[in-house]
Amino acid sequence: MKKSFLSVLCILTTVATYAQNFLEGTALDKTTNEPLEQVAIYFPQLEQGGISNENGTYRINNLPEGTYNIVASYIGFQTFSKTITIKKGKNTLDFTLLPSAIEMEEVIVSTPFHKLQSENVMKVEFAKIAALKSKGAPTLIEGIGTIPGVDMVSTGIGIGKPVVRGLTSNRVLVYTQGIRLENQQFGAEHGLGVNEAGIESVEVIKGPASLLYGSDAMGGVLYLNPEKFATSNTTEGDVNLDYNTNTQGITSNVGVKSSGDKFKFLARAATVNHVDYKAGDGNRVTNSRFNEKDLKMGLGYQATSFKSEIRYNYNQSNLGIPETISTQTTSRTPELPYQKINNHILSSKTKIFFKDSNLDVTLGYVGNDRKEFEDHHHHDHHEEHEDEHDHDHHEEHATTDNHDEEEHMEAALHMKLNTFTYDIQYHLPKWNKFETIIGAQGIHQSNTNYGEEILIPDAITNDIGVLGTTHFHLNENNDFQLGFRYDHRNIAGKAYGELGEEGHIPALNRSFSSFNGAFGYKNNISKQFTTRFNIATGFRAPNLAELTSYGSHEGANRFEIGNPDLKNEQNIQFDLALEFKNEHFEFFLNGFHNTIKNYIFIAPDGTFINENVVYNYLQDNAKLYGGEIGFHLHPHPYDWLHIESSYQTVYGELNNGESLPLIPANNLTNTFRVEFINDHPWWLSTKAFVTLNTTFKQGKVNVNETVSPGYSLLNAGFGSEVKFLKKSMNINISANNILDKRYIAHLSRLKPDGIPNMGRSVTIGVNILL
């Protein structure tokens, strides 16, 4: 008994000693040698960090042994990055930061090695959601659409999805909470489905990322980073309120997070409510209203050699589908037709640290319950409807502007998509100058119909991929990255209807596989000049809609017929990025050429079904090319002044010379902004901007599109951080389309109906830290 007790005591003592690995040090201003307070010190791979105090000192506990990259950042200073080795017990790192007018760098999470952008082989666009919000965008996707190389396909302001260098829908993969977001994104009128509350930043990979993410990432990746947990032994809270004058939109969210030594918790609730938006001609676009409720929660645990977190997001959206400009009202309840969407996202991320390596396991579940209601499915309160397709129908009560009483509503389309994902990556021990990752990823997905109409059949999709990638750091000026991947996907769809009858969809059982690779090289020609070259292949398996569609629904304006014989899309893209950066001037030039084999597109065949034009899915080879160019000037000694300009262009065409559809128009954005740090006890900072956004004529259009004239929009904004009752408060006022210009964006799905985009809108926002 005594021997057993001593053994247990010995084990506990060993564990306690092992758990006491920590790093401490001091952050100093390199020019004055004065301590710096509120410097963020962070281990990207460990997702763990701390903040320096008023003496410039910091301490980070519970660190595993091994070699890791550490990053220190502070506004107004160059970001510090260094690779250090954590040993047992006490570790020390003192560092200095050099003042700089250049915005501090961020760690890129969407690429596998979690490095600063300046150290990354692949060029990735990064933006803080707070910065995008300050521009006055009413939704998350509207804000993301302002990033160079990114645009959006929209149906009003409530429904939008990203377009990356001319590719969209299932060709651009969206990641949130570290897992892929699956929400029937094949549909043109199916939006992003994520609320901005609780999203800290966004990263955009512009080009094939199939090596890292598999099918559907051949056009790029939109990676949404959730807000971080609070630093150890702290509790934080905040309240955010926004009001949009155009839509009388009210957006609010409140969050709280608290962390101890090991356990962490956060929660955030949000509501969104907009009436029909007012176009530049003064008319409200009927049924463009929408409302949304969102809840995000997270629970984390972090020990020395083990880290795990679970996050959950519930989102409920009611989205009107605008079709015309008619009744002028400020009702907040969508009319028919409208969508009702319930989305559940559950993710689990676990990291296990060994002495020289680590294992990452990410599991996810996305449950998407989508209902679409149409006029001819509006039944009387006492009417009973027989289930024609052997499904259980779910009744919904809805209120419209024309009816004060509740009436039964049956969904014309009702689809439930359940997706389970896994992502296992093993970071091998570093060998010489190589960092290597091997892994396996996959999904199991089921689509089930419950509505009266069947657009796509019930189906099961299984996907598995294996990958390996390595980063070779030759010296401080040369970095290489190389990787290979194999994927296999099977789609099994059930038969629907009777053979020989209209609407029959035959059973489907197709398998798709693909090998892909990527190579990248970064060269620091000098301290100021960097060049990056990347070549990557990607693929996309045809989705269920492209293979099996047979029908039409609200918002489609066409009768779609799938093609069960479609092949994989396969592409190869060349990227060249040039960057120059010194203390007061930044310049970038990005060019790309993307060749796609077996590009899938939809085209009319000249016939009609149920008075709708019939569209068929076809394949042909295609190519896209273009790029972005821009500069950022903050001249000495006027470091508070920033002059920015960027231009983006994309061209896309089929092998026969016909232009691809949904190619964004060329765009030029010029911004003049100022930022001041105020030497005042309660007025802490001030910022303001004026932007002229010029969209050029889009004359290279598909045969099913019309030419879009050019237009210019003037935007401006003002913001300030103040202290009120010892609490920090940010106030932002922004005005978009100040001149109330009437225009129709080329990628607006309301363009065929002649419905313009939003007119003048002023957004007032307040953020209060509790």
Side-chain angles (χ1 to χ4, degrees):
M1 181 74 176
K2 183 177 180 181
K3 184 177 180 181
S4 175
F5 174 76
L6 290 175
S7 298
V8 173
L9 182 61
C10 181
I11 292 173
L12 292 175
T13 303
T14 302
V15 171
T17 302
Y18 179 68
Q20 290 176 0
N21 304 336
F22 65 92
L23 175 70
E24 64 180 17
T26 304
L28 300 174
D29 185 327
K30 189 171 185 177
T31 57
T32 66
N33 213 36
E34 293 292 324
L36 292 174
E37 186 180 0
Q38 295 297 308
V39 176
I41 303 97
Y42 188 66
F43 286 92
Q45 191 173 347
L46 306 179
E47 296 181 1
Q48 190 173 356
I51 302 292
S52 63
N53 60 21
E54 65 274 10
N55 300 315
T57 61
Y58 68 94
R59 174 169 170 146
I60 305 173
N61 296 316
N62 298 324
L63 296 175
E65 292 183 62
T67 300
Y68 308 102
N69 188 45
I70 188 170
V71 174
S73 57
Y74 186 56
I75 295 176
F77 289 81
Q78 289 185 13
T79 300
F80 171 85
S81 177
K82 183 180 178 65
T83 299
I84 65 171
T85 299
I86 300 297
K87 300 178 181 179
K88 284 188 177 180
K90 178 181 177 180
N91 297 265
T92 303
L93 176 64
D94 298 324
F95 59 87
T96 59
L97 297 183
L98 185 66
S100 173
I102 298 174
E103 280 83 354
M104 61 185 186
E105 285 192 86
E106 301 288 346
V107 174
I108 301 301
V109 178
S110 57
T111 52
F113 299 101
H114 292 190
K115 297 180 179 295
L116 293 175
Q117 180 57 68
S118 61
E119 303 167 337
N120 220 25
V121 172
M122 183 183 296
K123 178 65 184 293
V124 178
E125 297 290 348
F126 178 94
K128 289 277 191 180
I129 298 300
L132 298 179
K133 279 188 62 178
S134 68
K135 298 178 181 179
T139 62
L140 175 62
I141 187 62
E142 289 262 3
I144 293 173
T146 64
I147 297 173
V150 184
D151 214 300
M152 69 167 185
V153 176
S154 65
T155 307
I157 61 170
I159 302 173
K161 62 176 56 184
V163 179
V164 178
R165 286 178 168 174
L167 297 178
T168 187
S169 298
N170 280 87
R171 298 183 182 96
V172 175
L173 189 61
V174 177
Y175 253 61
T176 183
Q177 298 179 194
I179 64 173
R180 58 187 294 154
L181 177 63
E182 294 287 325
N183 62 352
Q184 306 281 7
Q185 60 265 35
F186 67 85
E189 77 289 357
H190 297 176
L192 187 64
V194 179
N195 186 274
E196 66 189 33
I199 304 295
E200 186 169 292
S201 61
V202 59
E203 299 171 18
V204 183
I205 300 176
K206 296 183 293 188
S210 294
L211 170 67
L212 306 176
Y213 298 101
S215 179
D216 299 353
M218 67 171 289
V221 175
L222 195 69
Y223 199 98
L224 303 173
N225 292 310
E227 63 178 311
K228 296 183 180 68
F229 290 98
T231 54
S232 298
N233 300 307
T234 62
T235 298
E236 303 173 12
D238 62 273
V239 176
N240 301 273
L241 300 170
D242 293 278
Y243 178 75
N244 185 290
T245 59
N246 184 296
T247 64
Q248 300 178 22
I250 303 170
T251 301
S252 62
N253 76 78
V254 58
V256 61
K257 49 187 176 181
S258 182
S259 297
D261 283 328
K262 294 184 176 181
F263 286 98
K264 305 176 182 182
F265 170 79
L266 62 80
R268 186 170 297 277
T271 62
V272 178
N273 204 302
H274 292 265
V275 306
D276 295 342
Y277 76 84
K278 187 181 294 184
D281 56 11
N283 293 314
R284 293 195 180 275
V285 177
T286 307
N287 206 30
S288 60
R289 68 203 71 164
F290 65 97
N291 56 73
E292 186 178 7
K293 296 181 178 66
D294 190 84
L295 173 67
K296 292 183 175 74
M297 301 181 69
L299 181 65
Y301 175 80
Q302 186 153 7
T304 301
S305 57
F306 177 83
K307 176 185 182 299
S308 184
E309 67 177 51
I310 296 175
R311 291 180 185 258
Y312 171 71
N313 177 207
Y314 170 70
N315 183 277
Q316 182 191 81
S317 301
N318 294 302
L319 304 163
I321 301 177
E323 296 179 313
T324 185
I325 296 177
S326 57
T327 305
Q328 298 293 289
T329 177
T330 55
S331 171
R332 296 180 182 271
T333 304
E335 298 177 349
L336 296 171
Y338 71 93
Q339 301 175 355
K340 183 174 183 179
I341 305 167
N342 288 290
N343 211 50
H344 300 268
I345 303 174
L346 180 65
S347 63
S348 167
K349 293 175 63 179
T350 299
K351 288 178 176 283
I352 303 173
F353 298 96
F354 308 105
K355 185 172 183 180
D356 297 310
S357 62
N358 64 277
L359 178 68
D360 294 352
V361 179
T362 303
L363 305 175
Y365 165 74
V366 179
N368 181 257
D369 186 350
R370 177 181 295 276
K371 297 178 182 179
E372 297 189 8
F373 297 88
E374 304 173 9
D375 287 310
H376 59 281
H377 296 276
H378 189 198
H379 296 280
D380 196 73
H381 180 74
H382 298 291
E383 182 180 358
E384 294 183 358
H385 185 80
E386 295 294 327
D387 185 355
E388 298 174 357
H389 307 299
D390 297 324
H391 290 299
D392 293 326
H393 292 292
H394 298 272
E395 295 182 330
E396 294 292 330
H397 289 91
T399 302
T400 70
D401 289 336
N402 299 324
H403 296 81
D404 294 327
E405 60 181 12
E406 290 186 342
E407 297 177 336
H408 282 296
M409 304 286 293
E410 292 189 8
L413 283 174
H414 183 187
M415 299 181 288
K416 289 187 178 181
L417 187 71
N418 293 300
T419 307
F420 297 88
T421 65
Y422 62 88
D423 184 353
I424 303 170
Q425 296 187 12
Y426 179 57
H427 297 244
L428 277 67
K430 288 186 178 179
W431 177 73
N432 200 351
K433 296 183 178 181
F434 287 91
E435 298 176 68
T436 304
I437 299 173
I438 58 174
Q441 299 169 338
I443 66 172
H444 172 77
Q445 186 177 83
S446 63
N447 179 76
T448 309
N449 286 277
Y450 294 89
E452 293 185 52
E453 296 179 4
I454 304 296
L455 181 64
I456 56 176
D458 295 357
I460 300 292
T461 300
N462 286 298
D463 185 286
I464 184 171
V466 292
L467 68 105
T469 182
T470 187
H471 181 277
F472 175 56
H473 180 67
L474 179 62
N475 51 48
E476 64 178 15
N477 294 323
N478 294 277
D479 289 86
F480 298 85
Q481 198 163 301
L482 179 70
F484 295 97
R485 179 185 180 112
Y486 171 76
D487 284 273
H488 179 81
R489 170 172 289 192
N490 177 262
I491 304 176
K494 293 183 179 180
Y496 171 73
E498 298 295 331
L499 182 64
E501 293 185 2
E502 183 179 345
H504 170 66
I505 300 176
L508 176 76
N509 195 337
R510 292 286 309 276
S511 292
F512 305 90
S513 59
S514 180
F515 284 96
N516 288 282
F519 171 79
Y521 170 61
K522 180 181 75 72
N523 176 252
N524 296 328
I525 299 174
S526 66
K527 288 185 178 181
Q528 293 81 28
F529 194 71
T530 301
T531 180
R532 293 180 174 87
F533 172 76
N534 283 271
I535 177 173
T537 66
F539 88 105
R540 183 179 74 89
N543 62 49
L544 201 56
E546 294 163 337
L547 292 167
T548 65
S549 286
Y550 193 89
S552 61
H553 59 94
E554 294 293 336
N557 295 322
R558 61 195 183 197
F559 193 101
E560 299 180 4
I561 299 180
N563 182 350
D565 299 321
L566 294 174
K567 302 175 183 178
N568 271 352
E569 288 184 338
Q570 192 78 43
N571 75 326
I572 180 170
Q573 179 166 309
F574 297 86
D575 283 273
L576 179 65
L578 305 174
E579 299 171 31
F580 177 85
K581 180 184 293 187
N582 62 24
E583 189 176 355
H584 299 287
F585 181 74
E586 300 172 64
F587 171 82
F588 69 86
L589 173 63
N590 306 322
F592 76 95
H593 189 280
N594 186 4
T595 303
I596 306 176
K597 183 180 179 181
N598 295 321
Y599 180 86
I600 299 172
F601 62 100
I602 193 168
D605 64 6
T607 63
F608 292 81
I609 295 180
N610 298 330
E611 299 182 354
N612 289 319
V613 180
V614 174
Y615 278 70
N616 293 280
Y617 284 100
L618 307 172
Q619 285 190 304
D620 194 2
N621 296 337
K623 62 181 178 182
L624 298 101
Y625 53 94
E628 304 89 35
I629 185 172
F631 71 88
H632 178 190
L633 173 65
H634 29 90
H636 182 75
Y638 309 108
D639 294 339
W640 46 267
L641 173 63
H642 299 262
I643 301 172
E644 300 169 308
S645 182
S646 65
Y647 176 78
Q648 61 187 48
T649 181
V650 180
Y651 296 93
E653 57 188 39
L654 292 169
N655 198 42
N656 60 12
E658 181 182 318
S659 295
L660 291 177
L662 299 178
I663 298 299
N666 297 344
N667 179 269
L668 174 66
T669 301
N670 293 297
T671 299
F672 178 94
R673 63 184 175 93
V674 296
E675 294 182 348
F676 299 99
I677 303 299
N678 301 328
D679 186 16
H680 195 281
W682 60 266
W683 191 1
L684 306 180
S685 66
T686 303
K687 58 184 178 181
F689 74 90
V690 176
T691 296
L692 180 64
N693 189 298
T694 301
T695 299
F696 295 91
K697 173 185 175 181
Q698 179 55 293
K700 299 180 73 65
V701 296
N702 185 262
V703 294
N704 302 308
E705 297 178 316
T706 57
V707 172
S708 296
Y711 54 89
S712 294
L713 304 178
L714 181 65
N715 307 322
F718 171 84
S720 188
E721 182 182 3
V722 299
K723 271 199 172 181
F724 180 70
L725 298 178
K726 298 183 179 181
K727 300 295 182 182
S728 179
M729 182 168 62
N730 289 280
I731 302 172
N732 288 287
I733 301 174
S734 59
N736 287 2
N737 193 2
I738 294 174
L739 303 180
D740 209 18
K741 176 78 173 179
R742 185 190 188 278
Y743 72 100
I744 303 178
H746 183 67
L747 299 188
S748 170
R749 295 190 65 254
L750 303 180
K751 180 187 172 186
D753 299 315
I755 299 176
N757 289 71
M758 183 185 289
R760 181 190 301 115
S761 67
V762 178
T763 301
I764 304 170
V766 178
N767 163 253
I768 304 172
L769 300 180
L770 303 177

